[in-house]
Amino acid sequence: MNEFGTTLRAWRDRTSPAAVGLPLGHSRRAKGLRREELAELSGISVDYLVRLEQGRFTSPSDQVTAALARALQLSAAERDHLYRLAGLNAPGAAEITDHVSASVQRVVRRLGDAAVAVFAADWQLIWWNRSWAALCGDPSETPPHLRNFARDTFLPGEPKLSRHRVTSLVAGTPEAALVADLRRATGRFPDSRRLAALIEELTAGSERFATLWADGVVGAHRSDQKMIDHPQVGPIAVDCDVLTDGEVDLKIVIMSAAPDSDDETRLRLATLAGAASDA
């Protein structure tokens, strides 16, 4: 068997008939779907499905792969994996989403008092907790369409995303990483008008961005170190770690200070003095 066939068989075996609306029956031995059932749900012949699973046919069409993914109720990540195994380009979402899934919300709310924010694939700020607002200043005071980290970084004179003065302690690298991450987003969302408009605006408005964009580097923005000039407790040095939700490329940014340091103490004081609720 090839990897496509092996994976297809494994996912067929794990799919409950009840999950796709089929009766269990008393004579059923298999826990998952029978070949006949998956073939019918996918609109293909049983013989064709057998050839796919046995590796005698390895190049299913886009339509067949999509039908199999729907019938097996695959997640977006699993669907994309099946497409890649079939030698196809995974279908990309036409537009960047600002939706924060329930699972991501559960994760960020379990991070306690850490300063956390969630950004969309184009670095538009879409969620933050009270600790983030306390540390950086309440983002709700910035008009929604301007709550973008890339705009904040490269366009002078714009209302700032952070109400407090924030400077990077790693000269040059974060800017390059941010641009590389935006270029990666253009591959993930090639038809996004919103992303295209942002790139056009940044290129026209920032010589620094235009230079970095012309380099063509593709990558992900994973970490940074910043100094936050907090008006009540003074300067706070923090580490910024970026986690990515793969399905829609959300960025979960977590700010923390070195354990048992003066910065950690000031970070806690800033949190206590900060905003009352999450975004």
Side-chain angles (χ1 to χ4, degrees):
M1 292 186 183
N2 69 331
E3 190 173 354
F4 182 92
T6 302
T7 302
L8 187 61
R9 172 64 185 272
W11 285 342
R12 176 169 66 81
D13 287 345
R14 78 170 188 189
T15 304
S16 166
V20 296
L22 296 175
L24 291 175
H26 296 292
S27 61
R28 176 178 292 274
R29 296 180 180 178
K31 294 181 180 180
L33 295 176
R34 299 187 179 102
R35 281 186 175 129
E36 294 81 3
E37 293 167 337
L38 178 57
E40 183 176 357
L41 289 168
S42 305
I44 61 177
S45 70
V46 176
D47 179 64
Y48 185 66
L49 179 58
V50 170
R51 283 185 287 156
L52 286 174
E53 288 191 352
Q54 293 180 347
R56 291 187 284 132
F57 191 83
T58 58
S59 302
S61 68
D62 185 285
Q63 291 77 13
V64 168
T65 306
L68 288 168
R70 285 193 299 271
L72 293 168
Q73 299 185 348
L74 302 184
S75 68
E78 291 170 336
R79 176 206 63 192
D80 292 353
H81 183 64
L82 190 67
Y83 266 77
R84 286 188 286 269
L85 292 180
L88 301 169
N89 292 322
E95 190 52 85
I96 289 171
T97 179
D98 288 338
H99 174 66
V100 182
S101 68
S103 61
V104 171
Q105 291 186 45
R106 285 195 297 271
V107 168
V108 296
R109 292 186 188 280
R110 289 172 180 169
L111 293 175
D113 293 332
V116 183
V118 180
F119 294 80
D122 60 350
W123 288 94
Q124 182 75 15
L125 178 63
I126 52 181
W127 185 93
W128 62 89
N129 66 4
R130 66 188 68 188
S131 296
W132 181 281
L135 181 62
C136 300
D138 191 353
S140 64
E141 298 177 13
T142 300
H145 70 284
L146 297 179
R147 296 175 194 165
N148 185 282
F149 181 53
R151 292 175 59 98
D152 194 68
T153 300
F154 290 103
L155 296 183
E158 295 282 357
K160 290 302 180 182
L161 182 60
S162 174
R163 313 306 295 182
H164 302 159
R165 185 170 180 269
V166 179
T167 55
S168 176
L169 299 178
V170 186
T173 303
E175 289 185 352
L178 176 58
V179 174
D181 191 278
L182 284 173
R183 184 174 287 281
R184 185 173 67 93
T186 62
R188 176 71 176 81
F189 301 95
D191 300 320
S192 171
R193 295 181 180 179
R194 170 172 138 180
L195 181 57
L198 175 66
I199 299 302
E200 182 178 357
E201 180 182 14
L202 293 173
T203 302
S206 170
E207 183 178 349
R208 173 64 172 160
F209 179 88
T211 299
L212 291 170
W213 187 257
D215 290 341
V217 177
V218 179
H221 190 13
R222 297 299 187 195
S223 63
D224 191 7
Q225 293 177 310
K226 295 184 181 295
M227 181 67 72
I228 299 173
D229 189 7
H230 196 278
Q232 293 172 285
V233 303
I236 309 171
V238 296
D239 294 325
C240 298
D241 295 297
V242 184
L243 309 179
T244 303
D245 173 53
E247 292 195 10
V248 292
D249 210 22
L250 294 180
K251 291 96 169 51
I252 303 169
V253 181
I254 305 169
M255 288 192 182
S256 60
D260 302 320
S261 65
D262 291 341
D263 291 302
E264 184 180 51
T265 300
R266 285 192 287 269
L267 179 56
R268 289 174 180 170
L269 291 173
T271 300
L272 291 173
S277 61
D278 299 346

